[in-house]
Amino acid sequence: MNKQYEQELEQAKVNLTDVRERGEDALGETWDELRQEIFTPEEIAASDLRVAMMIEIAHARKERGISQKRLEEISGVRQPIIARMEKGYTSPQIDTVLKVLAPLGKTLYIGDLPKTR
């Protein structure tokens, strides 16, 4: 983790402790509760899909022993963009995702969503 992230995480913990000490638990007890309150089910599903896709890209790259720099060479997508994708710092365009997936032997699949009821 980078230093700025660690500092922000520590500040978030301090803020959460402060809110709880003041008895202001309107934000919910857990991240899942807060997430349910502030995001729509569609936003949550989209976020979960982005996270799953970025985890799969990083996993496939590491499984094949390919560095981010090498993936840049074979995909045409710059290494800093690949790093931001894998860390979830960006929401890449679909053509960028496809360029990265192809050399990893992966593709996107469009299928039916599972029934919710």
Side-chain angles (χ1 to χ4, degrees), residues 40-53:
T40 66
E42 293 80 10
E43 289 170 324
I44 292 170
S47 175
D48 289 349
L49 180 59
R50 277 192 303 274
V51 168
M53 188 169 45

PDB file of all heavy atoms in Angstrom, residues 40-53:
ATOM      1  N   THR A  40     -27.637   2.308  -5.437  1.00  0.00           N
ATOM      2  CA  THR A  40     -28.743   1.508  -5.954  1.00  0.00           C
ATOM      3  C   THR A  40     -28.240   0.084  -6.203  1.00  0.00           C
ATOM      4  O   THR A  40     -27.031  -0.134  -6.357  1.00  0.00           O
ATOM      5  CB  THR A  40     -29.277   2.077  -7.280  1.00  0.00           C
ATOM      6  OG1 THR A  40     -28.257   1.940  -8.286  1.00  0.00           O
ATOM      7  CG2 THR A  40     -29.695   3.546  -7.146  1.00  0.00           C
ATOM      8  N   PRO A  41     -29.157  -0.882  -6.290  1.00  0.00           N
ATOM      9  CA  PRO A  41     -28.725  -2.247  -6.613  1.00  0.00           C
ATOM     10  C   PRO A  41     -27.960  -2.318  -7.941  1.00  0.00           C
ATOM     11  O   PRO A  41     -27.004  -3.089  -8.070  1.00  0.00           O
ATOM     12  CB  PRO A  41     -30.039  -3.026  -6.689  1.00  0.00           C
ATOM     13  CG  PRO A  41     -30.969  -2.272  -5.794  1.00  0.00           C
ATOM     14  CD  PRO A  41     -30.578  -0.826  -5.964  1.00  0.00           C
ATOM     15  N   GLU A  42     -28.350  -1.484  -8.892  1.00  0.00           N
ATOM     16  CA  GLU A  42     -27.658  -1.470 -10.189  1.00  0.00           C
ATOM     17  C   GLU A  42     -26.229  -0.954 -10.043  1.00  0.00           C
ATOM     18  O   GLU A  42     -25.305  -1.472 -10.671  1.00  0.00           O
ATOM     19  CB  GLU A  42     -28.434  -0.610 -11.199  1.00  0.00           C
ATOM     20  CG  GLU A  42     -29.788  -1.175 -11.588  1.00  0.00           C
ATOM     21  CD  GLU A  42     -30.892  -0.898 -10.570  1.00  0.00           C
ATOM     22  OE1 GLU A  42     -30.698  -0.102  -9.630  1.00  0.00           O
ATOM     23  OE2 GLU A  42     -31.961  -1.506 -10.708  1.00  0.00           O
ATOM     24  N   GLU A  43     -26.034   0.079  -9.220  1.00  0.00           N
ATOM     25  CA  GLU A  43     -24.686   0.617  -8.998  1.00  0.00           C
ATOM     26  C   GLU A  43     -23.806  -0.403  -8.279  1.00  0.00           C
ATOM     27  O   GLU A  43     -22.632  -0.558  -8.614  1.00  0.00           O
ATOM     28  CB  GLU A  43     -24.755   1.909  -8.184  1.00  0.00           C
ATOM     29  CG  GLU A  43     -25.332   3.079  -8.952  1.00  0.00           C
ATOM     30  CD  GLU A  43     -25.611   4.281  -8.062  1.00  0.00           C
ATOM     31  OE1 GLU A  43     -26.015   4.104  -6.896  1.00  0.00           O
ATOM     32  OE2 GLU A  43     -25.424   5.412  -8.556  1.00  0.00           O
ATOM     33  N   ILE A  44     -24.380  -1.106  -7.334  1.00  0.00           N
ATOM     34  CA  ILE A  44     -23.637  -2.134  -6.609  1.00  0.00           C
ATOM     35  C   ILE A  44     -23.239  -3.267  -7.556  1.00  0.00           C
ATOM     36  O   ILE A  44     -22.098  -3.725  -7.554  1.00  0.00           O
ATOM     37  CB  ILE A  44     -24.451  -2.665  -5.413  1.00  0.00           C
ATOM     38  CG1 ILE A  44     -24.596  -1.567  -4.356  1.00  0.00           C
ATOM     39  CG2 ILE A  44     -23.812  -3.931  -4.820  1.00  0.00           C
ATOM     40  CD1 ILE A  44     -25.570  -1.891  -3.246  1.00  0.00           C
ATOM     41  N   ALA A  45     -24.166  -3.695  -8.388  1.00  0.00           N
ATOM     42  CA  ALA A  45     -23.872  -4.773  -9.346  1.00  0.00           C
ATOM     43  C   ALA A  45     -22.787  -4.351 -10.323  1.00  0.00           C
ATOM     44  O   ALA A  45     -21.877  -5.134 -10.623  1.00  0.00           O
ATOM     45  CB  ALA A  45     -25.147  -5.174 -10.091  1.00  0.00           C
ATOM     46  N   ALA A  46     -22.853  -3.115 -10.801  1.00  0.00           N
ATOM     47  CA  ALA A  46     -21.843  -2.620 -11.743  1.00  0.00           C
ATOM     48  C   ALA A  46     -20.470  -2.555 -11.074  1.00  0.00           C
ATOM     49  O   ALA A  46     -19.459  -2.943 -11.663  1.00  0.00           O
ATOM     50  CB  ALA A  46     -22.243  -1.250 -12.282  1.00  0.00           C
ATOM     51  N   SER A  47     -20.438  -2.092  -9.843  1.00  0.00           N
ATOM     52  CA  SER A  47     -19.178  -2.020  -9.102  1.00  0.00           C
ATOM     53  C   SER A  47     -18.605  -3.412  -8.869  1.00  0.00           C
ATOM     54  O   SER A  47     -17.410  -3.641  -9.067  1.00  0.00           O
ATOM     55  CB  SER A  47     -19.408  -1.311  -7.763  1.00  0.00           C
ATOM     56  OG  SER A  47     -18.233  -1.341  -6.993  1.00  0.00           O
ATOM     57  N   ASP A  48     -19.457  -4.336  -8.461  1.00  0.00           N
ATOM     58  CA  ASP A  48     -19.005  -5.714  -8.226  1.00  0.00           C
ATOM     59  C   ASP A  48     -18.452  -6.340  -9.501  1.00  0.00           C
ATOM     60  O   ASP A  48     -17.458  -7.068  -9.470  1.00  0.00           O
ATOM     61  CB  ASP A  48     -20.140  -6.566  -7.666  1.00  0.00           C
ATOM     62  CG  ASP A  48     -20.504  -6.210  -6.232  1.00  0.00           C
ATOM     63  OD1 ASP A  48     -19.754  -5.452  -5.587  1.00  0.00           O
ATOM     64  OD2 ASP A  48     -21.555  -6.687  -5.765  1.00  0.00           O
ATOM     65  N   LEU A  49     -19.089  -6.051 -10.623  1.00  0.00           N
ATOM     66  CA  LEU A  49     -18.619  -6.584 -11.902  1.00  0.00           C
ATOM     67  C   LEU A  49     -17.254  -6.007 -12.270  1.00  0.00           C
ATOM     68  O   LEU A  49     -16.362  -6.737 -12.698  1.00  0.00           O
ATOM     69  CB  LEU A  49     -19.636  -6.288 -13.004  1.00  0.00           C
ATOM     70  CG  LEU A  49     -19.293  -6.792 -14.400  1.00  0.00           C
ATOM     71  CD1 LEU A  49     -19.120  -8.313 -14.406  1.00  0.00           C
ATOM     72  CD2 LEU A  49     -20.361  -6.385 -15.388  1.00  0.00           C
ATOM     73  N   ARG A  50     -17.073  -4.690 -12.075  1.00  0.00           N
ATOM     74  CA  ARG A  50     -15.779  -4.064 -12.358  1.00  0.00           C
ATOM     75  C   ARG A  50     -14.687  -4.682 -11.483  1.00  0.00           C
ATOM     76  O   ARG A  50     -13.596  -4.996 -11.973  1.00  0.00           O
ATOM     77  CB  ARG A  50     -15.840  -2.556 -12.128  1.00  0.00           C
ATOM     78  CG  ARG A  50     -16.402  -1.776 -13.286  1.00  0.00           C
ATOM     79  CD  ARG A  50     -16.186  -0.278 -13.131  1.00  0.00           C
ATOM     80  NE  ARG A  50     -16.750   0.252 -11.895  1.00  0.00           N
ATOM     81  CZ  ARG A  50     -18.012   0.640 -11.741  1.00  0.00           C
ATOM     82  NH1 ARG A  50     -18.849   0.560 -12.753  1.00  0.00           N
ATOM     83  NH2 ARG A  50     -18.432   1.112 -10.581  1.00  0.00           N
ATOM     84  N   VAL A  51     -14.981  -4.855 -10.207  1.00  0.00           N
ATOM     85  CA  VAL A  51     -13.997  -5.431  -9.290  1.00  0.00           C
ATOM     86  C   VAL A  51     -13.640  -6.853  -9.732  1.00  0.00           C
ATOM     87  O   VAL A  51     -12.458  -7.210  -9.804  1.00  0.00           O
ATOM     88  CB  VAL A  51     -14.529  -5.424  -7.840  1.00  0.00           C
ATOM     89  CG1 VAL A  51     -13.656  -6.272  -6.931  1.00  0.00           C
ATOM     90  CG2 VAL A  51     -14.622  -3.993  -7.316  1.00  0.00           C
ATOM     91  N   ALA A  52     -14.635  -7.652 -10.032  1.00  0.00           N
ATOM     92  CA  ALA A  52     -14.384  -9.036 -10.461  1.00  0.00           C
ATOM     93  C   ALA A  52     -13.543  -9.075 -11.730  1.00  0.00           C
ATOM     94  O   ALA A  52     -12.630  -9.904 -11.863  1.00  0.00           O
ATOM     95  CB  ALA A  52     -15.708  -9.770 -10.671  1.00  0.00           C
ATOM     96  N   MET A  53     -13.829  -8.178 -12.659  1.00  0.00           N
ATOM     97  CA  MET A  53     -13.094  -8.149 -13.923  1.00  0.00           C
ATOM     98  C   MET A  53     -11.632  -7.758 -13.690  1.00  0.00           C
ATOM     99  O   MET A  53     -10.718  -8.386 -14.230  1.00  0.00           O
ATOM    100  CB  MET A  53     -13.755  -7.174 -14.899  1.00  0.00           C
ATOM    101  CG  MET A  53     -13.163  -7.225 -16.276  1.00  0.00           C
ATOM    102  SD  MET A  53     -14.114  -6.339 -17.536  1.00  0.00           S
ATOM    103  CE  MET A  53     -14.521  -4.814 -16.756  1.00  0.00           C
TER     104      MET A  53
END
